[in-house]
Amino acid sequence: MSADGTLSIGELAARAGTTVKTVRFYSDRGLLPEATRSTGGHRRYGPEALSRLRTIRSLRSLGVPVPEIGRALDFGDSDSWDGLEAVVARRLDDLGTELAALRWREAALRALHEGAPEQLAERLELIGAVSVPPSTSALAHYWRRLLPVRLSARLRSAVTEAAVPQPPCDPTPEQVLAFARLHALAKDATDHCLTSHRPAPAAHPDLLYDGLYEAYQLVETALRADRSPGPGEALDCYVAAHARALDTRDTPGFRRALTVRLAAADHPVMSRYWQLAGELTPHPTLGAADLWLREALTAGTTAP
């Protein structure tokens, strides 16, 4: 250290346990300001540069990008430590995303590795069509096209959120394949295909979906307890929702007609959707709730 307390670039590098090249790199990018220059034009750094350099290297070792460090490290600013905390918080978020992507890639590779040789091409195509980490935007778009046009924005959002399964944080190979197949189903749904399995139109779609949502919530306990479909409040709520939407009353005749109507509207695409969705979530799906209620309705209308 010179008489004025400054350090040469070599002295600063030696004290920090790094190289002159590293110090010059951070200095050239404005992260390590020079205090002055020697008469020979060589860089000189103040005593605070050592602490600053160590902080920079610590943040870099944690994967914080150089531009982020530059925005946060203004030690003359009273908010400097707030800036550092914000950088650390953003890095934690980024790292969570990176780890989720790594877990997904590992499960995807296992799905490829564990499959039979003749399955490799198909699985690779399915998995390769899904972003990493996976996005549910295609599934949400599918439901926005499937739901009635006149359904309120509130219910459209609620149904879509409940119907779209989130990719597991730590997926199994089977769940990676289930999500990839669900993604392919949603992407491949043409307008003609959507028309074929879209729910039958109702005069009052908000009345129908409000009532169905309430019925699905009521039946969740039965599903979790693995109870057989049967009569009760959930079924009554389910039938009443359909009756209100069609401007009619819940009668034995209506229940018989509704049983036939729902059976005719059943579609293999939706059955496949809910089967795959059920593999991705530990919670009962809307499809599982609807199936339980339809079976309860059928049992009630066919009972002697």
Side-chain angles (χ1 to χ4, degrees):
M1 183 179 290
S2 66
D4 63 359
T6 60
L7 298 165
S8 69
I9 192 170
E11 290 169 332
L12 178 58
R15 292 197 179 195
T18 187
T19 65
V20 168
K21 182 179 179 181
T22 296
V23 176
R24 185 177 292 115
F25 174 84
Y26 292 135
S27 187
D28 289 345
R29 279 155 182 76
L31 271 67
L32 205 58
E34 305 162 21
T36 185
R37 290 262 179 164
S38 69
T39 54
H42 299 294
R43 307 177 199 225
R44 306 291 300 183
Y45 298 89
E48 74 285 349
L50 180 59
S51 173
R52 187 178 181 95
L53 178 56
R54 285 172 174 161
T55 300
I56 292 167
R57 295 187 67 212
S58 294
L59 290 172
R60 284 297 296 137
S61 73
L62 296 172
V64 178
V66 168
E68 284 282 309
I69 297 173
R71 284 192 288 270
L73 290 185
D74 181 1
F75 278 70
D77 187 339
S78 61
D79 295 329
S80 61
W81 290 109
D82 290 339
L84 280 173
E85 288 178 0
V87 165
V88 170
R90 281 194 295 272
R91 181 59 189 144
L92 275 173
D93 287 342
D94 291 343
L95 193 58
T97 301
E98 292 167 19
L99 288 172
L102 286 173
R103 286 191 290 266
W104 186 268
R105 287 193 177 104
E106 180 186 19
L109 287 168
R110 290 191 183 281
L112 296 175
H113 180 69
E114 295 168 3
E118 61 270 18
Q119 296 175 316
L120 182 60
E122 179 206 3
R123 290 188 173 193
L124 188 58
E125 183 177 357
L126 279 169
I127 292 169
V130 178
S131 62
V132 180
S135 167
T136 59
S137 59
L139 305 184
H141 181 64
Y142 170 81
W143 278 96
R144 284 194 293 270
R145 294 169 66 199
L146 185 65
L147 291 170
V149 174
R150 293 189 295 114
L151 191 65
S152 66
R154 172 185 63 84
L155 279 170
R156 185 178 299 275
S157 176
V159 172
T160 299
E161 183 178 351
V164 173
Q166 295 302 309
C169 295
D170 192 7
T172 64
E174 293 75 19
Q175 287 176 321
V176 166
L177 285 170
F179 186 87
R181 287 175 176 135
L182 198 58
H183 183 269
L185 182 152
K187 293 286 286 185
D188 292 344
T190 62
D191 287 337
H192 174 72
C193 179
L194 280 169
T195 300
S196 68
H197 68 274
R198 181 177 282 122
H204 306 288
D206 273 33
L207 291 177
L208 174 62
Y209 281 84
D210 255 332
L212 292 181
Y213 200 72
E214 182 181 352
Y216 296 155
Q217 290 177 314
L218 288 170
V219 86
E220 185 173 346
T221 302
L223 285 167
R224 289 184 183 276
D226 201 25
R227 291 208 299 268
S228 298
E233 184 183 6
L235 179 59
D236 292 343
C237 181
Y238 182 74
V239 175
H242 284 283
R244 283 195 303 271
L246 295 171
D247 284 327
T248 188
R249 294 182 301 107
D250 176 5
T251 64
F254 175 75
R255 291 198 175 204
R256 288 192 294 272
L258 181 61
T259 301
V260 174
R261 183 167 173 261
L262 292 176
D266 200 12
H267 195 281
V269 170
M270 288 309 302
S271 298
R272 179 63 170 158
Y273 181 98
W274 292 122
Q275 175 197 344
L276 293 168
E279 296 179 35
L280 294 167
T281 174
H283 310 296
T285 65
L286 297 184
D290 190 75
L291 178 60
W292 192 98
L293 288 161
R294 283 192 288 117
E295 289 180 351
L297 177 64
T298 302
T301 56
T302 57

